[in-house]
Amino acid sequence: MATIDFTTTQRERLTDLGVPAETVAAALGALEADDAGARNEKYRALELAAVRENRDGLSRLAEDDRVTPSLNTIAALADWLRGEGYTRVETPIIIPFTMLDKMTITEDEPLRDQVFRVDKNKCLRPMLAPGLYVLMRELHRILGRPVRIFEAGSCFRRETEGSKHLTEFTMLNMVEFAGVEDGGQRAKLEGLAAGAMAAVGIDDYTLETEASVVYGETIDIVSKDGLELASASYGPHSLDPNWGVFETWVGIGFGIERVTLAKCGGENIKRYSKSVNYLGGMSLRV
Ligand code: ATP
Ligand code: MG
């Protein structure tokens, strides 16, 4: 049976406005083949409705919520973590390459190609772990007791940008150092994953064990749609001696925009990213 499709420009516009793929498919399915006039009329109706929805969403954001869904995800996790005894910290976004070497992301490692160089010795951090390794070690040395800290901030990776990857994204990384009994790391992580998902309001997720270049093994939190929301790992770990660290630890790194996408729905992570084209899940091209 002959079918009709929207033009590329029409399709791109509907995608930008966040019209779900199934809505587009249903609209096309109801059309006669070869009737471009009816197709264009359908397009205009879909576009008009979507523009209205995006505008209404922006108006709700400015008048009621006053915080974007991504910032809300950070706030929900931060509130929960403060309640669990974690202190919020910030470490530099520009870091020396020597810190990546200590993460075994060395010159010959493919991950190194994803790193943005700032100058001969420095780069934009692709992860928060280097800074947190130092802070947890130093705080433990000074305070002489278990350390619970977390950081939320931008990380940068030269990814082949798809609908699930951003060049600049926000990681929230939490770590408990010297507080878990050896052997109890995995159970501890399962509890923390449950706490985090409850805090952000996601009740459907699975834990999957993955091989990781940097960590050997990671436990991923995966959404019901198969999206990796976070990666957890634990020590004692082979990287630890590079950082002068010898105690147990557990840590989880959440991708804030991915968690927000899983919670709020939608097909492209860009809508929830730091952007001047989208705000709070809405397109500004309306
Ligand atoms: P993936 O395999 O999906 O590329 P990853 O395993 O390389 O992710 P991690 O290093 O485990 O990513 O980073 C921790 C979390 O940060 C991920 O679980 C994901 O939620 C998020 N994340 C990683 N890379 C990106 C990216 N380029 N854009 C958005 N979020 C990201
Ligand atoms: Mg991962």
Side-chain angles (χ1 to χ4, degrees):
M1 192 185 78
T3 53
I4 194 159
D5 199 352
F6 288 124
T7 66
T8 307
T9 314
Q10 289 174 337
R11 272 196 174 270
E12 281 170 2
R13 176 70 174 146
L14 294 177
T15 301
D16 182 63
L17 291 170
V19 178
E22 65 253 37
T23 306
V24 172
L28 288 170
L31 291 172
E32 300 284 333
D34 304 328
D35 190 348
R39 187 267 320 268
N40 291 345
E41 210 170 295
K42 190 82 214 168
Y43 164 76
R44 276 191 294 275
L46 283 178
E47 199 223 4
L48 188 65
V51 164
R52 223 174 261 146
E53 245 177 71
N54 279 273
R55 284 179 160 272
D56 287 351
L58 288 167
S59 145
R60 268 197 311 279
L61 175 66
E63 276 152 35
D64 304 330
D65 304 345
R66 306 227 177 103
V67 60
T68 65
S70 289
L71 287 170
N72 217 13
T73 301
I74 297 177
L77 289 171
D79 283 351
W80 166 66
L81 285 166
R82 291 270 304 279
E84 297 287 317
Y86 287 75
T87 301
R88 186 168 185 171
V89 300
E90 280 193 300
T91 65
I93 287 172
I94 298 174
I95 63 171
F97 277 111
T98 50
M99 275 187 151
L100 292 188
D101 293 338
K102 287 191 188 184
M103 295 301 295
T104 68
I105 305 173
T106 47
E107 294 283 4
D108 51 356
E109 180 55 53
L111 263 180
R112 184 75 162 237
D113 297 335
Q114 293 191 318
V115 175
F116 286 90
R117 176 182 289 274
V118 171
D119 66 21
K120 191 165 158 288
N121 301 315
K122 297 191 216 78
C123 64
L124 300 179
R125 64 183 178 193
M127 53 178 57
L128 304 179
L132 293 179
Y133 252 122
V134 176
L135 283 194
M136 74 185 192
R137 180 193 70 211
E138 291 304 298
L139 279 174
H140 181 251
R141 176 179 65 77
I142 295 160
L143 303 176
R145 62 170 174 78
V147 171
R148 293 177 171 180
I149 52 175
F150 72 101
E151 173 166 12
S154 280
C155 292
F156 303 83
R157 292 182 194 180
R158 212 186 291 280
E159 307 262 14
T160 34
E161 268 200 57
S163 59
K164 309 300 175 214
H165 287 96
L166 298 160
T167 302
E168 175 174 2
F169 63 101
T170 314
M171 187 105 82
L172 187 151
N173 211 156
M174 56 179 293
V175 63
E176 172 167 353
F177 183 59
V180 193
E181 221 171 283
D182 205 10
Q185 290 94 332
R186 204 188 152 99
K188 178 80 188 187
L189 282 173
E190 283 169 13
L192 289 171
M197 291 298 100
V200 297
I202 294 176
D203 49 23
D204 206 350
Y205 67 93
T206 53
L207 297 181
E208 292 177 13
T209 304
E210 293 280 333
S212 153
V213 177
V214 175
Y215 294 106
E217 177 187 290
T218 63
I219 300 161
D220 289 349
I221 305 177
V222 179
S223 78
K224 67 174 185 330
D225 300 322
L227 181 63
E228 180 188 317
L229 305 179
S231 274
S233 51
Y234 55 88
H237 191 282
S238 58
L239 288 177
D240 294 355
N242 295 349
W243 298 92
V245 158
F246 303 97
E247 312 274 345
T248 62
W249 59 268
V250 292
I252 310 182
F254 299 89
I256 291 299
E257 294 85 0
R258 293 230 189 135
V259 172
T260 308
L261 181 69
K263 164 127 180 87
C264 299
E267 285 155 14
N268 199 319
I269 194 170
K270 278 208 184 75
R271 316 184 79 73
Y272 298 106
S273 68
K274 294 181 181 179
S275 174
V276 291
N277 295 316
Y278 300 100
L279 185 66
M282 264 69 67
S283 172
L284 294 170
R285 288 173 283 226
V286 292

